[in-house]
Amino acid sequence: PELQVFGPAMVGPVLCTFGTPEQQAQHLPAIRDSSVWWCQGYSEPGAGSDLAALQTMAQDAGDHYRVDGQKIWTSYAHHADWMFCLVRTSREGRKQEGISFLLIDMKTPGVEVQPIRMMDGRHYLNAVFFNDVKVPKANRIGEEGRGWTYAKFLLEHERVENANLRFITQELQKLRRVAGEVRSDGRPLIDDPSFRAEVAAVEVQFKALEIGLLRMLSDMHAGAPAGPGKSSFIKIRGTEIAQRITELLVQASGADAQRYQPGPLFGLGDAGVIGPAHGVGPVATYLFCRAMTIYGGSTEVQKNIMAKHALGL
Ligand SMILES: Cc1cc2nc3c(=O)[nH]c(=O)nc-3n(C[C@H](O)[C@H](O)[C@H](O)COP(=O)(O)OP(=O)(O)OC[C@H]3O[C@@H](n4cnc5c(N)ncnc54)[C@H](O)[C@@H]3O)c2cc1C
């Protein structure tokens, strides 16, 4: 699998900001060179958008916790060495108050990863079960019961990452190339004025997103946090632009894109490509990108956050 963002873009900033010197010394070097892989243990069967409803329980057992419960939709848990995980350490008070943020070694006895197979045949999502898993208290980030604060900080970083700049840049290049190869009415599709205008519109939107993001990163570098409203806006915009480009790629590839070719697409088996190479990926990418509306917090939930934090509603 390709390198994942869970270490460098998600738990890395949390460790830098809230970790102890020992935790930073243990984890940051291996996050920096991606020699150790992380996964995100946030969602549970009854806690997605309403994340604070999570029920995975960590019982105090002296110098360690005993963790029981279940996470779901855990991307790449089957490749991960460590998980950053939200657990409940108390059922008293508001549900946000009893949450703690633990770092769990995936090799600890009692951690079980079960695959969730996708309709396209691939495996990248998992359910993760904890059965009396012993986690040292030294693996807790910050204070017990303050995990919600660290969790939200991480989500702001995740949503800035969800701007998808790298993905959009690659797909735009592909779109220009395919639209230059495919012919429409005897000329390259990119010379069709209406298609060209569609590509130009999405490129302009992308440029605006890039400038907005650079401005935000410069503010963050100067010490101002991204803030929940801004990072939600960036996530929604990046999602919409990425999804629009995948629609245009399907449109540009036309009938060639309609054949499902999992062999060449995912490197499975030795089946050759049927038809032009640009027909292999667009529909699968288009379908996968629908999930961008959901992961990292759904678009509806981001709009709620913007209404509250940016518009003061
Ligand atoms: C491809 C993929 C990868 C993922 N990877 C991970 C991972 O690695 N780790 C992890 O912890 N989680 C992961 N997730 C889970 C993801 O974070 C959740 O799916 C997401 O937060 C939504 O939760 P849910 O699925 O329980 O949907 P629900 O919360 O049940 O939402 C269902 C629908 O109701 C809407 N809705 C819910 N509440 C409101 C509201 N208050 N106002 C308006 N609309 C609302 C939502 O927008 C959505 O359309 C992944 C999900 C996907 C699809």
Side-chain angles (χ1 to χ4, degrees):
E2 59 181 29
L3 284 180
Q4 297 299 317
V5 296
F6 300 104
M10 289 158 73
V11 74
V14 171
L15 280 159
C16 284
T17 312
F18 304 107
T20 61
E22 292 75 23
Q23 289 169 339
Q24 292 174 348
Q26 180 182 0
H27 295 297
L28 287 178
I31 287 176
R32 194 176 299 119
D33 66 16
S34 282
S35 55
V36 167
W37 281 34
W38 290 78
C39 63
Q40 178 179 35
Y42 273 30
S43 304
E44 297 184 5
S49 301
D50 185 12
L51 183 58
L54 63 95
Q55 294 298 324
T56 293
M57 198 66 201
Q59 297 282 358
D60 192 325
D63 64 349
H64 63 274
Y65 295 104
R66 292 203 166 271
V67 178
D68 287 280
Q70 184 198 341
K71 297 292 170 180
I72 198 162
W73 314 125
T74 323
S75 304
Y76 300 102
H78 53 306
H79 294 301
D81 305 291
W82 284 79
M83 171 190 277
F84 53 89
C85 185
L86 296 181
V87 296
R88 185 158 292 290
T89 39
S90 165
R91 295 195 191 280
E92 304 293 317
R94 288 171 65 237
K95 56 188 175 183
Q96 288 83 354
E97 284 164 12
I99 292 173
S100 297
F101 192 116
L102 297 184
L103 310 179
I104 300 181
D105 185 337
M106 295 294 280
K107 289 185 290 302
T108 317
V111 177
E112 188 194 339
V113 179
Q114 287 185 6
I116 300 174
R117 295 256 167 223
M118 297 287 101
M119 281 171 73
D120 64 12
R122 283 190 296 165
H123 168 211
Y124 44 88
L125 294 177
N126 303 275
V128 180
F129 295 85
F130 304 100
N131 184 10
D132 198 21
V133 175
K134 196 174 164 185
V135 181
K137 282 193 176 163
N139 288 6
R140 191 188 66 225
I141 294 284
E143 292 173 44
E144 183 174 287
R146 299 248 305 143
W148 189 244
T149 304
Y150 317 130
K152 285 193 298 181
F153 175 90
L154 184 143
L155 283 172
E156 283 177 25
H157 283 265
E158 177 176 359
R159 287 167 187 159
V160 171
E161 179 64 29
N162 288 153
N164 295 308
L165 287 197
R166 181 175 60 91
F167 174 80
I168 294 175
T169 305
Q170 284 170 354
E171 293 301 296
L172 258 180
Q173 283 169 359
K174 202 185 295 175
L175 177 60
R176 282 195 219 103
R177 181 170 48 74
V178 173
E181 286 169 15
V182 171
R183 299 190 80 76
S184 163
D185 290 336
R187 60 185 174 181
L189 179 61
I190 197 67
D191 292 340
D192 174 278
S194 66
F195 193 81
R196 200 181 178 81
E198 301 268 21
V199 176
V202 81
E203 285 199 29
V204 169
Q205 289 168 4
F206 178 49
K207 198 40 86 186
L209 173 73
E210 211 175 14
I211 291 166
L213 189 65
L214 286 173
R215 197 174 284 155
M216 184 191 280
L217 289 176
S218 144
D219 289 349
M220 286 165 83
H221 189 63
K230 281 192 228 162
S231 55
S232 295
F233 171 76
I234 290 280
K235 179 183 189 274
I236 294 180
R237 210 67 191 114
T239 295
E240 289 171 346
I241 293 169
Q243 290 177 338
R244 180 69 190 128
I245 293 170
T246 64
E247 286 165 17
L248 289 172
L249 257 169
V250 170
Q251 197 181 324
S253 305
D256 290 329
Q258 301 309 315
R259 286 182 213 97
Y260 181 53
Q261 304 190 58
L265 186 56
F266 306 129
L268 307 172
D270 50 11
V273 175
I274 302 169
H278 67 243
V280 173
V283 169
T285 308
Y286 165 86
L287 290 173
F288 179 76
C289 285
R290 303 301 102 186
M292 288 176 175
T293 311
I294 301 169
Y295 63 67
S298 73
T299 291
E300 289 79 9
V301 168
Q302 302 318 303
K303 287 182 178 171
N304 286 348
I305 294 172
M306 282 163 57
K308 186 171 168 196
H309 293 276
L311 304 176
L313 296 175

